[in-house]
């Protein structure tokens, strides 16, 4: 049976699943009509209210609340909720900076409602074209705001912009480049529960895995090669857009050595080549090799 409701097609099983999730959350055996579900969901304790979504248009607030209620109703002891954002590309010469704190505050409210198990920033937190001190300052601010949301379960990937190697800084300007050692301090100064490959592997402090009780292994890959002059940087000057050979070895021999269901999170695609700038520049980066061993 299918119910048509306000331009949407909703199956009865979908409504049953929502009702089951509400009963599980509230510890009741009550029955619910579709019209009664919003109030039932709103009664679930979780913190965070619409009034806290400050300085946002009404349509944005409505969409946030609607999304949070739907997700909350489907959460149970077997779900893993991941709060994922990526490519914020904050830099001072663009107007996205003025919206940053409002966006982070709104994310905080949604996180209170959803209580995510893992908060992930997928990389390219900043634009990489600022003075190093400026980039680090804004990065520290964003990381602190994300950790207010996720605590020790905050997990930050490294993107090709995060090394501060985008023009006009200049890819070869060593004084302005942010090194992987500095990234460790900025992005991994807390225990996020992941088991990392470690110093036995090149770049091994940035790729790892974490197993969850529900039978899921989350694998974090690292697609930023720090040493752009290294022969291992398969794209030459664009080599910071790739994966270490050691990382592929670890992925095949260690990360995949599990019976768990696997979820891979990474900044760069695992396609055969990475299309760079200009579009005619194709950068080999071992994506196909990762696909072949998975």
């Amino acid at each position: 049976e299918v119910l048509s409701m306000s331009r949407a097609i909703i199956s009865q099983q979908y409504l049953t699943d929502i009702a089951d999730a509400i009963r599980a959350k509230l510890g009741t055996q009550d029955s619910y009509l579709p019209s009664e579900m919003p109030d039932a969901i709103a009664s679930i304790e979780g913190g965070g209210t619409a009034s806290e979504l400050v300085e946002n248009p009404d349509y944005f607030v409505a969409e946030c609340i609607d999304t949070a209620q739907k997700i909350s109703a489907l959460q149970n002891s077997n779900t893993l909720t991941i709060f994922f954002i990526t490519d914020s590309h904050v830099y001072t010469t663009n107007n996205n900076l003025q919206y940053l704190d409002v966006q982070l505050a709104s994310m905080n409210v949604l996180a209170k409602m959803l209580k995510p198990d893992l908060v992930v920033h997928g990389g390219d937190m900043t634009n990489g074209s600022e003075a190093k001190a400026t980039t680090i300052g804004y990065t520290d601010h964003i990381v602190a705001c994300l950790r207010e949301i996720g605590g020790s379960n905050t997990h930050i990937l490294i993107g090709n912009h995060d090394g501060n190697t985008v023009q006009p800084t200049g890819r070869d300007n060593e004084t302005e480049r942010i090194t992987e050692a500095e990234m460790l301090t900025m992005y991994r100064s807390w225990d996020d529960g992941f088991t990392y490959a470690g110093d036995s592997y090149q770049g091994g402090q940035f790729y790892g895995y974490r197993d969850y009780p529900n039978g899921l292994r989350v694998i974090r890959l690292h697609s930023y090669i720090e040493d752009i002059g290294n022969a291992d940087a398969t794209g030459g000057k664009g080599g910071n857009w790739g994966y270490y050979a050691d990382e592929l070895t670890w992925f095949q021999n260690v990360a995949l050595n599990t019976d768990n269901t696997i979820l891979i999170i990474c900044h760069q695609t695992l396609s055969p080549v990475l299309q760079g700038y200009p579009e005619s520049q194709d950068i080999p980066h071992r994506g196909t090799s990762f696909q072949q061993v998975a």
Side-chain angles (χ1 to χ4, degrees):
E1 182 178 353
V2 175
L3 304 178
S4 176
M5 300 177 64
S6 182
R7 296 181 298 171
I9 302 299
I10 302 176
S11 70
Q12 183 164 339
Q13 184 59 51
Y14 178 78
L15 293 174
T16 300
D17 290 343
I18 294 178
D20 287 342
I22 294 172
R23 284 187 280 268
K25 286 277 188 176
L26 296 178
T28 71
Q29 299 297 320
D30 294 343
S31 297
Y32 300 97
L33 295 172
S35 61
E36 297 172 333
M37 288 181 179
D39 288 339
I41 293 170
S43 71
I44 298 172
E45 293 185 3
T49 65
S51 63
E52 295 179 82
L53 289 167
V54 295
E55 299 182 42
N56 283 300
D58 290 343
Y59 68 85
F60 177 84
V61 175
E63 181 68 20
C64 287
I65 298 301
D66 180 62
T67 300
Q69 288 180 336
K70 288 176 179 176
I71 294 174
S72 180
L74 294 172
Q75 287 175 313
N76 58 53
S77 59
N78 293 318
T79 58
L80 180 75
T81 304
I82 300 176
F83 200 108
F84 189 93
I85 62 171
T86 189
D87 290 76
S88 46
H89 285 285
V90 175
Y91 54 109
T92 59
T93 56
N94 185 284
N95 65 1
N96 68 354
L97 185 63
Q98 65 181 298
Y99 302 114
L100 173 64
D101 285 330
V102 173
Q103 292 167 342
L104 289 170
S106 299
M107 287 164 47
N108 201 326
V109 175
L110 289 175
K112 288 179 183 178
M113 298 176 182
L114 298 174
K115 298 190 184 320
D117 301 287
L118 187 63
V119 173
V120 179
H121 191 292
D124 282 0
M125 184 173 286
T126 57
N127 197 54
S129 58
E130 302 277 359
K132 182 175 182 177
T134 302
T135 297
I136 291 176
Y138 282 113
T139 298
D140 287 346
H141 173 64
I142 298 170
V143 170
C145 291
L146 289 176
R147 291 207 62 201
E148 286 184 14
I149 298 171
S152 61
N153 290 315
T154 305
H155 190 60
I156 300 172
L157 303 179
I158 308 300
N160 50 293
H161 283 242
D162 291 316
N164 212 41
T165 58
V166 180
Q167 295 292 347
T169 299
R171 187 172 276 121
D172 295 313
N173 189 335
E174 292 300 309
T175 61
E176 291 297 304
R177 186 170 61 89
I178 296 173
T179 67
E180 287 195 343
E182 290 171 318
M183 290 178 187
L184 270 177
T185 300
M186 296 161 63
Y187 300 127
R188 275 205 54 220
S189 59
W190 61 93
D191 181 6
D192 59 12
F194 276 68
T195 299
Y196 287 90
D199 293 331
S200 297
Y201 297 88
Q202 192 173 17
Q205 294 294 344
F206 290 95
Y207 46 92
Y209 66 86
R210 179 173 174 178
D211 291 325
Y212 287 84
N214 60 359
L216 178 69
R217 170 168 288 191
V218 178
I219 298 176
R220 163 201 173 137
L221 297 181
H222 178 51
S223 59
Y224 176 87
I225 294 179
E226 177 182 37
D227 186 356
I228 60 175
N230 192 313
D232 183 56
T234 55
K237 285 288 186 179
N240 61 327
W241 302 44
Y243 296 92
Y244 288 111
D246 275 4
E247 184 172 6
L248 177 62
T249 300
W250 168 86
F251 180 73
Q252 181 174 11
N253 297 335
V254 180
L256 295 181
N257 186 20
T258 179
D259 292 328
N260 285 0
T261 300
I262 289 174
L263 172 66
I264 298 173
I265 53 177
C266 54
H267 181 74
Q268 299 292 2
T269 174
L270 295 181
S271 58
V273 295
L274 178 67
Q275 195 172 74
Y277 307 104
E279 291 185 358
S280 59
Q281 177 191 17
D282 286 339
I283 304 171
H285 71 311
R286 295 197 179 89
T288 300
S289 299
F290 276 86
Q291 292 185 41
Q292 289 172 342
V293 302

